[in-house]
Amino acid sequence: MVAGKEKIDTTDSAVSATVHLGSTESGGFGLAVDLDISLPNADAAEAERAVEAAHQVCPYSNATRGNIEVNLTVV
């Protein structure tokens, strides 16, 4: 776990997702996802660093990268 390696406290963390379905430039349909991530026991810099690092190693992120727009927001 990324946060564990960095010793970032993930107690009471939460993620909410909003999935969007829309048209692509080629006339098909595509997905986009907005992820709101809360790490209430981490400072803002730690939270941003952990979220970005997790996004880089996450199997789901790796499988969808380049195919689905993902917007990460630390709240």
Side-chain angles (χ1 to χ4, degrees):
M1 182 172 176
V2 172
K5 289 173 97 176
E6 296 290 323
K7 301 201 184 326
I8 297 171
D9 186 354
T10 59
T11 305
D12 298 324
S13 61
V15 177
S16 67
T18 303
V19 179
H20 306 275
L21 176 63
S23 300
T24 64
E25 292 178 10
S26 63
F29 293 97
L31 296 174
V33 178
D34 296 327
L35 297 176
D36 292 328
I37 303 103
S38 173
L39 295 168
N41 296 314
D43 69 38
E46 285 179 329
E48 290 282 346
R49 191 172 67 247
V51 167
E52 186 54 41
H55 183 55
Q56 294 306 310
V57 299
C58 170
Y60 184 81
S61 294
N62 288 331
T64 61
R65 188 168 286 115
N67 296 311
I68 295 175
E69 179 181 342
V70 178
N71 300 301
L72 305 171
T73 304
V74 176
V75 295

